Amino acid sequence: MQSLPLDVIIEILLRLPVKSLCRFKCVCKLWQFLISDPKFTRRHVSLTIVDKDIEHQRRKLILNSCSLSSLYYVEYEAMASNHVMAVELDFPLVKSSLDKVKFLGSFNGLLCISVEPERMFLFNPAIKELKRIPNLNINISSRPWYRLVSRASIYGFGYDLSLDDYKLVKIVYESFVYVYSLKTDTWRRAQNFSYHSFNSDHGVHLNGAVHWVFGRGKHSAESRPRVIVAFDFAEGKFREVPLPSDAPDSFTTVGALGGCLCWLTVGTGTNATKRCDFWVMKEYGVKESWTKVVINIPFLSLRPLSFLNIDEALLEIDGKLVLYNPREAKHRELVIHGIQGRRKLEIETYVESLVSPCLWQWQLEEICYSDEN
């Protein structure tokens, strides 16, 4: 390797998995410097975006259940078979079965999780680094109406490309909006919230914004018009995304598949499985690009996860993992082994990376120290 030019060595290292890179830091000081460089980390992440083969190698499913005290992962490459083995993660936070973990989102290798209310963390399973997000302290005791609001907080995690910053938005009591910045390790107040939430599901991150389905207006809770609302991290504001022209106003949710926003409607009543629609926005923000996709599987709930390959989409249907081939209208169910006593699983997609949740604070301290001198 000593005879190879440095740029060639870097190109080789960029294509290696995270586990190998962590080991190779011990080869020599030069390799440790190269692999630890934030510029190398960004290039390593960018390859996942432009090279689908590399993305497939680095992508995993993270699994969690209310009956588990551990986290598990499944390799995407293992899904070529209908039976896959889950592997327990080395997760330092969970100490007992009382520590219930909830996923709040994932992006560029960082998994945002909560353990009980107000204990939120950023975790990179690949490099085993964990950072606690500081608590958000809100003094609302002087407001006479706050006791009447019992809804859980709503979250959305994602990435602000304009500032190269990872952020978490939190909507409290359907009124206050706060945004956490990893780069500054602080919360700040954003604009007020003027919609109605139907559940406490975390938002879907796409194109620098987090998306939810909310209700608009002062109608009763069930009759409020449903809209897709996006919180743009760069602008720090909410905006609405146009809906399909003839989409029914039934129970709805959003998802993302292959870099496209998805809109799912599910009917109610005994024939609910016959009135389910699945729409894909092929060009983001363009109303006319909504395309209805026919899925020949009866379902009550559906969540798109990702494409496993060019022919198969990985879907979570009624709590089960299903690989669906839209061209042939065929599907196969994945059976996960290795998890004892499980109930319904919570599933999050995850791409391995070198992104550290702790590096940002270190960089900030270095800048402050330099300013003082």
Side-chain angles (χ1 to χ4, degrees):
M1 294 290 288
Q2 293 180 353
S3 61
L4 291 176
L6 181 59
D7 57 345
V8 175
I9 294 176
I10 293 175
E11 288 299 323
I12 294 173
L13 293 175
L14 284 171
R15 285 157 176 78
L16 295 180
V18 173
K19 187 176 181 179
S20 299
L21 291 172
C22 291
R23 293 201 311 265
F24 291 166
K25 283 184 178 182
C26 301
V27 171
C28 63
K29 290 185 178 180
L30 174 61
W31 282 27
Q32 182 184 21
F33 174 79
L34 289 175
I35 297 170
S36 302
D37 188 349
K39 294 180 181 178
F40 181 90
T41 298
R42 286 193 288 270
R43 291 185 63 187
H44 191 262
V45 168
S46 66
L47 270 182
T48 304
I49 301 173
V50 300
D51 192 315
K52 295 302 179 183
D53 291 333
I54 291 179
E55 181 204 20
H56 185 72
Q57 294 168 7
R58 298 177 184 173
R59 187 174 287 277
K60 291 178 171 59
L61 289 182
I62 305 291
L63 309 173
N64 171 48
S65 170
C66 61
S67 64
L68 301 174
S69 58
S70 301
L71 298 182
Y72 293 79
Y73 73 88
V74 171
E75 300 275 0
Y76 260 49
E77 293 181 337
M79 297 181 198
S81 168
N82 290 342
H83 295 265
V84 295
M85 181 64 67
V87 179
E88 187 173 355
L89 271 172
D90 182 10
F91 185 50
L93 190 63
V94 174
K95 302 300 181 184
S96 72
S97 59
L98 298 178
D99 294 326
K100 304 304 181 184
V101 178
K102 181 180 179 181
F103 298 140
L104 302 180
S106 174
F107 194 75
N108 282 356
L110 289 184
L111 187 66
C112 188
I113 57 178
S114 67
V115 182
E116 303 175 352
E118 296 305 319
R119 292 177 59 203
M120 294 175 292
F121 299 84
L122 291 176
F123 178 49
N124 186 328
I127 59 177
K128 299 181 175 63
E129 288 192 8
L130 180 77
K131 174 183 173 56
R132 179 165 181 176
I133 297 175
N135 287 353
L136 173 61
N137 298 315
I138 309 173
N139 182 14
I140 59 171
S141 58
S142 60
R143 298 177 182 270
W145 50 263
Y146 84 100
R147 296 180 183 273
L148 302 176
V149 184
S150 59
R151 289 187 178 273
S153 297
I154 303 166
Y155 295 92
F157 176 70
Y159 179 66
D160 183 350
L161 178 62
S162 66
L163 297 177
D164 187 24
D165 192 9
Y166 296 86
K167 295 182 177 181
L168 175 68
V169 59
K170 180 177 182 178
I171 304 171
V172 186
Y173 301 115
E174 291 194 347
S175 297
F176 310 113
V177 181
Y178 294 85
V179 179
Y180 168 77
S181 162
L182 177 58
K183 212 164 193 177
T184 63
D185 198 31
T186 58
W187 290 91
R188 69 170 180 82
R189 178 79 179 269
Q191 70 177 101
N192 287 341
F193 185 71
S194 58
Y195 297 91
H196 171 82
S197 64
F198 296 102
N199 54 55
S200 59
D201 292 346
H202 69 77
V204 175
H205 180 266
L206 187 69
N207 288 356
V210 181
H211 304 74
W212 303 267
V213 174
F214 291 143
R216 186 206 300 135
K218 298 182 179 180
H219 306 76
S220 63
E222 295 302 321
S223 62
R224 295 185 184 187
R226 286 162 171 78
V227 291
I228 298 178
V229 178
F231 183 82
D232 191 297
F233 282 121
E235 297 182 358
K237 297 179 180 180
F238 289 100
R239 54 180 166 80
E240 294 185 9
V241 178
L243 296 174
S245 299
D246 53 350
D249 191 29
S250 55
F251 176 79
T252 55
T253 185
V254 288
L257 184 64
C260 296
L261 188 66
C262 302
W263 165 265
L264 299 95
T265 65
V266 181
T268 58
T270 56
N271 295 323
T273 57
K274 296 181 181 179
R275 302 199 309 273
C276 302
D277 293 330
F278 181 58
W279 298 76
V280 176
M281 181 179 254
K282 294 188 174 181
E283 186 176 350
Y284 184 78
V286 179
K287 181 183 179 71
E288 292 75 21
S289 70
W290 281 111
T291 303
K292 188 174 181 179
V293 178
V294 177
I295 297 180
N296 296 316
I297 308 174
F299 64 87
L300 289 171
S301 66
L302 184 151
R303 181 189 172 208
L305 295 172
S306 67
F307 281 107
L308 184 65
N309 50 54
I310 194 172
D311 294 321
E312 290 184 307
L314 181 62
L315 310 173
E316 182 183 1
I317 297 180
D318 296 335
K320 300 178 181 178
L321 281 175
V322 174
L323 282 166
Y324 182 71
N325 186 326
R327 295 181 181 179
E328 300 180 3
K330 295 181 179 179
H331 71 279
R332 57 189 177 95
E333 183 179 337
L334 291 176
V335 180
I336 300 176
H337 302 276
I339 304 178
Q340 300 297 326
R342 71 173 190 245
R343 298 178 186 175
K344 182 180 178 181
L345 293 173
E346 185 181 8
I347 303 170
E348 188 70 37
T349 59
Y350 163 81
V351 179
E352 285 193 336
S353 81
L354 292 165
V355 176
S356 169
C358 306
L359 179 61
W360 301 96
Q361 187 64 23
W362 174 83
Q363 289 178 327
L364 184 63
E365 291 172 357
E366 286 290 307
I367 292 172
C368 293
Y369 178 80
S370 299
D371 290 343
E372 292 174 359
N373 291 276

